């Protein structure tokens, strides 16, 4: 009798507790497979909402229909994270179905990744943002269809966004940046890589009004000038800044960026107007630097490395000076002498 009771206790109490712990570490596919093992295991897993907060259909076929089907299930009514990155078949019609059929399931959504979903247009963005009132993270990298209208829908419907990735959205303009600046003063992460229609005017709106930015990526945008770069001194919380290809950035602009004293990562690859003067300003102002790329800058010399070594020798772990022909002492051993904690000597190949 005691053995039978112990077995029942084992099945009803011990196994569910163990499975709850183990299941939190399982990939989504394995977790779903466990549901099919037995009815009691199905009941055990479904009874723990914390196991069903993520839907990941990245790079999957038929992702649109799978998403709609999943969100129709009760266990996903509290989902917080949806990843559809490079789920190429996702279309506006799927997002419109979510609006009409799965409204309740998206009320707790905090993060939505639509990277590489190139069939989505402003129409789809209007539908999905209208049912995600507490969205905080929105990423739609490499979408050449959406326009400023999508950003209008986003700021109207989602008031709490702090992380926004618009990389490769080539149709957005300064109007989008104005909307972002006016509606997201607490924005912390912004990626504008290759948004080629942006100008100083739009970027300055961000710099003036989004003072809590910690990460700003404006990679491959050569249209900005020092008129905007000088205003980066306003970003006192900034830790990550990618200026790769900023062809108009001068030492004057870089000296203003040096006032961002919390910078940890700075990419100056192909910032061809920069010289020792600007890098020395960075060395003196940004003493917590861990990552710095000077790749391809011919106007810098050993003098700037000496300045960096004086202030950042204990922090820099990544330093790329390849192509900096003015720097003569750039062998591995010579760089390690100046920066003993370097682990990476090459960022760009």
């Amino acid at each position: 009798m005691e053995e039978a009771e112990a077995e029942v206790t084992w099945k009803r109490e011990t196994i569910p507790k163990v499975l709850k712990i183990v299941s939190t570490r399982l990939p989504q596919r394995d977790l779903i497979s466990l549901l099919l093992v037995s009815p009691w295991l199905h009941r055990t897993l479904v009874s723990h909402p914390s196991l069903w907060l993520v839907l990941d259909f990245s790079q999957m076929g038929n992702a649109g229909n799978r998403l709609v089907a999943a969100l129709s299930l009760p266990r996903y009514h509290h989902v917080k994270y949806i990843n559809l990155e490079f789920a190429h078949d996702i279309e506006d019609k799927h997002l419109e179905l979510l609006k009409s059929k799965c409204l309740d399931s998206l009320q707790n959504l905090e993060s939505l990744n639509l990277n590489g979903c190139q069939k989505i247009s402003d129409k789809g963005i209007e539908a999905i943002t209208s049912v995600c009132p507490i969205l905080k993270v929105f990423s739609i990298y490499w979408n050449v269809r959406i326009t400023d209208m999508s950003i209008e829908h986003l700021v109207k419907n989602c008031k709490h966004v702090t992380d926004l990735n618009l990389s490769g959205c080539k149709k957005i303009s300064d109007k989008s940046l104005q909307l972002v600046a006016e509606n997201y003063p607490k924005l912390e992460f912004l990626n504008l890589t290759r948004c080629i229609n942006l100008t100083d005017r739009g970027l300055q709106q961000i710099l003036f009004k989004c003072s809590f930015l910690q990460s700003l990526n404006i990679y491959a945008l050569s249209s900005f000038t020092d008129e905007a770069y000088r205003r980066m001194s306003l970003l006192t919380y900034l830790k990550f800044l990618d200026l790769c290809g900023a062809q108009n950035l001068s030492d004057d602009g870089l000296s203003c960026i040096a006032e961002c004293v919390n910078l940890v990562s700075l990419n100056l690859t192909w910032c061809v107007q920069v010289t020792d003067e600007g890098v020395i300003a960075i060395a003196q102002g940004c003493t917590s630097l861990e990552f710095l790329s000077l790749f391809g800058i011919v106007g810098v010399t050993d003098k700037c490395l000496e300045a960096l070594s004086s202030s950042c020798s204990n922090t820099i772990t990544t330093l790329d000076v390849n192509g900096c022909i003015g720097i003569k002492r750039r062998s591995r051993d010579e760089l390690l002498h100046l920066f003993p904690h370097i682990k990476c000597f090459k960022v760009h190949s």
Side-chain angles (χ1 to χ4, degrees), residues 1-206:
M1 178 68 77
E2 290 182 0
E3 290 183 3
E5 290 179 356
E7 184 176 353
V8 170
T9 300
W10 172 261
K11 288 182 177 180
R12 290 183 177 178
E13 298 181 15
T14 306
I15 291 180
K17 288 179 181 178
V18 171
L19 279 171
K20 182 183 178 183
I21 296 172
V22 172
S23 297
T24 59
R25 294 166 173 78
L26 291 177
Q28 179 178 295
R29 291 182 181 181
D30 293 341
L31 188 58
I32 292 173
S33 296
L34 280 179
L35 293 174
L36 306 176
V37 172
S38 69
W40 69 264
L41 183 53
H42 185 284
R43 288 193 298 270
T44 298
L45 294 176
V46 170
S47 68
H48 296 293
S50 60
L51 297 177
W52 309 102
L53 300 179
V54 178
L55 277 172
D56 187 352
F57 294 114
S58 58
Q59 303 185 57
M60 287 190 187
N62 199 31
N65 292 328
R66 291 186 184 195
L67 178 63
V68 174
L71 287 174
S72 300
L73 299 172
R75 64 175 180 267
Y76 286 115
H77 280 189
H78 302 285
V79 68
K80 289 187 176 182
Y81 312 97
I82 294 179
N83 184 5
L84 298 170
E85 186 167 72
F86 293 106
H88 295 299
D89 72 321
I90 291 286
E91 300 180 33
D92 290 341
K93 65 180 182 181
H94 297 117
L95 302 185
E96 290 173 323
L97 274 174
L98 293 181
K99 180 180 179 180
S100 62
K101 292 187 175 182
C102 309
L103 174 65
D104 293 339
S105 299
L106 294 167
Q107 296 302 296
N108 296 302
L109 190 68
E110 296 181 5
S111 177
L112 177 60
N113 185 338
L114 297 175
N115 290 344
C117 298
Q118 297 186 2
K119 294 180 180 179
I120 293 174
S121 71
D122 294 335
K123 189 177 180 181
I125 299 303
E126 179 182 16
I128 191 63
T129 58
S130 69
V131 291
C132 305
I134 66 169
L135 194 68
K136 297 177 181 178
V137 180
F138 183 63
S139 186
I140 190 162
Y141 155 80
W142 199 24
N143 184 307
V144 296
R145 298 185 68 189
I146 69 164
T147 70
D148 294 329
M149 186 64 70
S150 282
I151 308 305
E152 287 190 33
H153 297 314
L154 179 67
V155 301
K156 175 185 176 182
N157 298 319
C158 308
K159 304 294 186 182
H160 307 285
V161 172
T162 58
D163 188 334
L164 181 59
N165 183 356
L166 300 174
S167 173
C169 297
K170 296 182 178 181
K171 288 187 177 180
I172 69 166
S173 71
D174 288 342
K175 181 180 179 181
S176 285
L177 295 196
Q178 182 178 353
L179 288 166
V180 170
E182 291 175 349
N183 290 276
Y184 297 141
K186 295 184 178 180
L187 192 68
E188 296 178 3
F189 304 91
L190 179 61
N191 191 333
L192 300 172
T193 295
R194 291 193 172 92
C195 295
I196 56 176
N197 289 320
L198 304 180
T199 71
D200 283 348
R201 183 179 180 183
L203 182 58
Q204 286 182 85
Q205 291 289 315
I206 295 292

Side-chain angles (χ1 to χ4, degrees), residues 133-345:
I134 66 169
L135 194 68
K136 297 177 181 178
V137 180
F138 183 63
S139 186
I140 190 162
Y141 155 80
W142 199 24
N143 184 307
V144 296
R145 298 185 68 189
I146 69 164
T147 70
D148 294 329
M149 186 64 70
S150 282
I151 308 305
E152 287 190 33
H153 297 314
L154 179 67
V155 301
K156 175 185 176 182
N157 298 319
C158 308
K159 304 294 186 182
H160 307 285
V161 172
T162 58
D163 188 334
L164 181 59
N165 183 356
L166 300 174
S167 173
C169 297
K170 296 182 178 181
K171 288 187 177 180
I172 69 166
S173 71
D174 288 342
K175 181 180 179 181
S176 285
L177 295 196
Q178 182 178 353
L179 288 166
V180 170
E182 291 175 349
N183 290 276
Y184 297 141
K186 295 184 178 180
L187 192 68
E188 296 178 3
F189 304 91
L190 179 61
N191 191 333
L192 300 172
T193 295
R194 291 193 172 92
C195 295
I196 56 176
N197 289 320
L198 304 180
T199 71
D200 283 348
R201 183 179 180 183
L203 182 58
Q204 286 182 85
Q205 291 289 315
I206 295 292
L207 302 178
F208 282 131
K209 297 178 181 178
C210 299
S211 58
F212 290 95
L213 272 178
Q214 295 182 34
S215 175
L216 178 60
N217 193 327
I218 46 179
Y219 181 104
L221 291 175
S222 59
S223 59
F224 296 139
T225 72
D226 279 347
E227 189 68 26
Y229 296 132
R230 291 190 193 99
R231 304 299 189 276
M232 287 188 179
S233 60
L234 298 170
L235 303 180
T236 55
Y237 295 96
L238 197 64
K239 294 181 179 180
F240 174 96
L241 179 60
D242 193 333
L243 295 170
C244 177
Q247 297 178 10
N248 298 318
L249 174 66
S250 73
D251 291 330
D252 182 37
L254 192 54
S255 295
C256 294
I257 291 171
E259 295 181 37
C260 300
V261 297
N262 291 305
L263 266 183
V264 173
S265 177
L266 179 60
N267 187 355
L268 296 174
T269 296
W270 294 119
C271 294
V272 293
Q273 291 192 40
V274 169
T275 71
D276 285 340
E277 180 184 345
V279 179
I280 290 172
I282 290 293
Q284 294 171 343
C286 307
T287 56
S288 298
L289 272 184
E290 298 175 11
F291 176 108
L292 177 64
S293 176
L294 302 174
F295 182 94
I297 304 178
V298 298
V300 294
T301 71
D302 295 278
K303 185 178 179 181
C304 77
L305 288 193
E306 291 168 5
L308 284 165
S309 179
S310 296
S311 58
C312 305
S313 63
N314 291 324
T315 59
I316 288 183
T317 57
T318 297
L319 179 64
D320 191 342
V321 293
N322 291 286
C324 301
I325 58 176
I327 296 177
K328 304 306 178 184
R329 291 176 295 166
R330 51 192 171 99
S331 70
R332 184 184 183 91
D333 290 340
E334 288 169 325
L335 290 176
L336 279 171
H337 178 72
L338 293 171
F339 308 97
H341 300 289
I342 287 186
K343 297 179 181 178
C344 179
F345 299 83

